[in-house]
Amino acid sequence: DKVILDGVFYIEGEFKIYNDTEINGIIIINDGNISIKPSTELQIKGLVLLKDYIGEEIINNERIKINYDGKVIKVNGIYLPGFIEPKIQVIKSS
């Protein structure tokens, strides 16, 4: 079964994923990590913010799919204090 979560998630420590999971919203990871069981997949629609991330790589991970979704960010961002509406025009990778 696939777990579907909506909202804003603030993570300090380890966030363990045991089933296929879809997260629609904003994930803020501060000095923590995401741990995924080998046979599962995590799909994120929205935005991921990392500060002092200590886990396995998220960007090039085959089991983690991240799709920036402005509509989802706008709907969930209102719950964050001082939220401004981001508009990304260019993303550069090194």
Side-chain angles (χ1 to χ4, degrees):
D1 291 343
K2 187 176 193 176
V3 176
I4 299 175
L5 303 170
D6 296 323
V8 178
F9 301 89
Y10 180 80
I11 300 166
E12 286 184 347
E14 188 172 20
F15 182 52
K16 295 182 179 183
I17 306 288
Y18 293 102
N19 293 338
D20 288 343
T21 304
E22 179 180 314
I23 298 176
N24 301 307
I26 300 171
I27 299 176
I28 303 166
I29 302 175
N30 182 14
D31 196 27
N33 69 333
I34 296 176
S35 175
I36 303 172
K37 184 178 169 186
S39 62
T40 61
E41 185 177 285
L42 172 63
Q43 183 176 10
I44 301 169
K45 293 179 185 175
L47 182 65
V48 178
L49 302 172
L50 305 174
K51 181 178 181 223
D52 299 327
Y53 183 76
I54 56 175
E56 64 180 285
E57 189 171 346
I58 290 180
I59 302 300
N60 294 320
N61 192 318
E62 297 171 356
R63 295 178 297 134
I64 301 175
K65 295 180 176 42
I66 302 173
N67 297 315
Y68 176 86
D69 190 328
K71 186 176 178 181
V72 171
I73 295 167
K74 186 174 181 178
V75 167
N76 291 287
I78 60 172
Y79 300 107
L80 296 173
F83 175 73
I84 58 170
E85 227 177 280
K87 184 175 183 181
I88 297 178
Q89 295 180 356
V90 177
I91 298 176
K92 292 184 178 183
S93 176
S94 56

